[in-house]
Amino acid sequence: MSSRSEAGPAEDLRTKLDHLTLSRKEGLKRLAEAPVRPQPELLSRRQIKALGEAALADYNRGRRKWHANLGPLHTPQMAALHEDLWDIVDSNDQDGDKVKGGIALDAFPGLGKTTAVLAFAKKFHRREIAEAGEYTDDGFERWPVCRVGLTANTGMRDFNRAILEFYGHPGRFRGTAADFGYRALDSVLSSEAKLLIVDDLHFLRWRNRSGVEVSNHFKYIANEFPVTLLMIGVGLKKRGLFDEGEDFEDAIVAQTGRRTTRLGMDPFTVKPEQGRRNWRDMLLAIEQRVVLAGKHPGMIADELSDYLFARSTGHIGSLMTLINRGCQKAVRTGAELLDEELLSTVKNDAAADEARRELELALETGKMTSRPKGRRGKAA
């Protein structure tokens, strides 16, 4: 088992991710360029008992960090989303006289939208740096991706200032909305950014003045900024982002929808056989990553398949929360495995807990199963 002193600069970079903020370019770069976290060695119960006090504390500390960061898992939903994103982003590599199409990722909470987009942003950042280098021809640092987040009170000035905050622009403290806009455009141009991610778009109140201002500003970005605008949110269709509308303000918002491709992400389902296979493949991937002395083949993918589907309702965010917390308890209590008894003591998010009972009844009565053909009856 490697000691901490042997980790070197790569582990130091990974450790800094504890303190990163994705609202600044340095944080996004660290996320994109940090090395893959090494999986802790899987020790038996006897080997764990043989560890000294300091070695045991170090081993468990490594497992805590590992289990808290098991993802991202490359699910079919993420793979399909990435294919669409590559198609759209690469097709936007047009000359400056052409308006670039935008993207709106619109899906329910807990489906891994932001995680999937950040995984794509990492790949895109690395590709652009590998192909074009860390510096532009004019000698500026190249930042292929810019990410900003919105709040319910975000107006055009605040949005532009958020872009300046991302770049650490010295002119981000004072100025009008127009001043900030020109500085934001200059930052994007000088860094040769190609992807602008706007997260939490659902926080914006589209039908008030700020919402119309920012929507209109999105049109300006599509016209003037050489970037693909990627918006992430919940219920964007219901909020009118894609509507034609009847009055003037509706039409302004609809301009954004006309230039935007809507993408989504779905929860796991166990109704068709392929859905059950996808669910099992994901559980197998999780099982391979779990570092518990009592882990055994089928511990998660067979014995806990129905239970985990009911507890998570097919939402990967709820599933990973439950697995993470279960692993932390299994290490802390010395149980060193995951089973229904242990997981029943672990609290999950409120939405999953409220929706689980109906699924539990269907699974318990045999009206539904999460296990594919050939694996049914394998649960303990």
Side-chain angles (χ1 to χ4, degrees):
M1 185 170 61
S2 300
S3 65
R4 188 185 305 175
S5 61
E6 295 173 342
E11 182 61 25
D12 289 341
L13 180 59
R14 170 57 68 179
T15 301
K16 290 179 181 178
L17 293 181
D18 292 342
H19 310 291
L20 70 79
T21 168
L22 296 179
S23 63
R24 297 298 293 269
K25 61 185 188 299
E26 294 85 2
L28 190 62
K29 181 178 181 180
R30 286 204 301 270
L31 178 69
E33 299 183 356
V36 176
R37 179 178 281 106
Q39 182 167 337
E41 182 181 356
L42 180 59
L43 302 181
S44 67
R45 294 179 186 273
R46 179 176 297 179
Q47 288 173 313
I48 291 176
K49 288 182 180 180
L51 293 175
E53 184 176 348
L56 177 61
D58 192 58
Y59 180 59
N60 286 342
R61 181 164 50 249
R63 290 198 292 171
R64 285 200 305 271
K65 178 65 69 174
W66 172 257
H67 289 138
N69 297 276
L70 284 178
L73 297 174
H74 296 284
T75 63
Q77 292 91 330
M78 181 184 289
L81 175 65
H82 284 192
E83 279 297 305
D84 289 334
L85 291 177
W86 283 122
D87 289 343
I88 298 170
V89 171
D90 286 347
S91 70
N92 277 343
D93 193 10
Q94 302 161 318
D95 295 335
D97 61 329
K98 297 180 176 65
V99 176
K100 301 182 187 301
I103 307 166
L105 178 53
D106 185 9
F108 288 112
L111 297 177
K113 298 185 300 298
T114 298
T115 299
V117 167
L118 289 178
F120 176 81
K122 289 167 59 176
K123 295 178 183 178
F124 185 77
H125 173 95
R126 291 177 176 177
R127 188 188 77 171
E128 293 301 304
I129 295 298
E131 291 181 354
E134 294 187 4
Y135 295 90
T136 68
D137 291 341
D138 293 328
F140 296 105
E141 289 182 305
R142 187 184 308 280
W143 300 99
V145 181
C146 174
R147 178 201 168 274
V148 297
L150 296 187
T151 68
N153 296 318
T154 301
M156 190 168 65
R157 184 176 182 275
D158 300 317
F159 181 78
N160 289 333
R161 188 178 184 278
I163 296 178
L164 297 180
E165 280 287 351
F166 178 84
Y167 288 105
H169 195 287
R172 65 190 183 276
F173 299 109
R174 292 185 180 180
T176 64
D179 292 333
F180 285 173
Y182 292 135
R183 293 166 193 165
L185 176 58
D186 180 65
S187 297
V188 167
L189 291 174
S190 62
S191 67
E192 296 190 2
K194 292 186 177 181
L195 179 63
L196 173 57
I197 299 172
V198 181
D199 207 351
D200 294 326
L201 196 64
H202 51 276
F203 287 152
L204 193 64
R205 295 174 183 171
W206 287 95
R207 299 304 177 182
N208 67 10
R209 182 178 177 183
S210 294
V212 173
E213 282 182 349
V214 176
S215 178
N216 215 19
H217 191 54
F218 286 165
K219 180 190 173 192
Y220 166 72
I221 289 174
N223 286 336
E224 304 297 333
F225 285 44
V227 298
T228 298
L229 180 62
L230 171 52
M231 300 170 282
I232 310 171
V234 177
L236 301 183
K237 180 179 175 65
K238 291 183 178 180
R239 295 171 193 272
L241 177 61
F242 310 102
D243 293 343
E244 292 294 336
E246 297 180 355
D247 57 32
F248 178 69
E249 289 192 354
D250 284 343
I252 291 175
V253 175
Q255 287 178 339
T256 302
R258 275 291 179 178
R259 299 178 181 208
T260 303
T261 300
R262 182 181 179 224
L263 302 178
M265 293 185 74
D266 297 320
F268 281 88
T269 179
V270 295
K271 288 293 178 68
E273 181 66 13
Q274 186 59 52
R276 291 187 282 270
R277 290 174 185 167
N278 291 340
W279 176 251
R280 176 173 169 76
D281 287 344
M282 184 181 62
L283 294 184
L284 285 171
I286 294 173
E287 191 173 293
Q288 291 173 353
R289 298 189 185 198
V290 166
V291 184
L292 298 173
K295 182 177 75 171
H296 53 272
M299 180 185 74
I300 293 176
D302 289 331
E303 297 171 14
L304 293 174
S305 179
D306 284 353
Y307 179 82
L308 290 174
F309 187 79
R311 288 288 310 264
S312 68
T313 64
H315 288 62
I316 191 169
S318 300
L319 173 67
M320 297 310 293
T321 296
L322 187 59
I323 293 292
N324 174 18
R325 293 176 181 175
C327 288
Q328 304 297 347
K329 175 163 283 193
V331 170
R332 189 176 63 255
T333 62
E336 292 292 342
L337 56 77
L338 296 180
D339 58 18
E340 290 190 28
E341 182 179 359
L342 181 140
L343 290 173
S344 66
T345 66
V346 175
K347 301 295 189 295
N348 206 3
D349 63 87
D353 279 343
E354 288 177 5
R356 62 185 281 197
R357 189 54 191 156
E358 184 177 346
L359 283 176
E360 285 178 334
L361 287 173
L363 292 165
E364 289 170 0
T365 58
K367 294 180 179 179
M368 179 188 297
T369 180
S370 68
R371 293 187 292 276
K373 293 179 181 178
R375 308 304 305 182
R376 296 169 191 174
K378 297 287 184 180

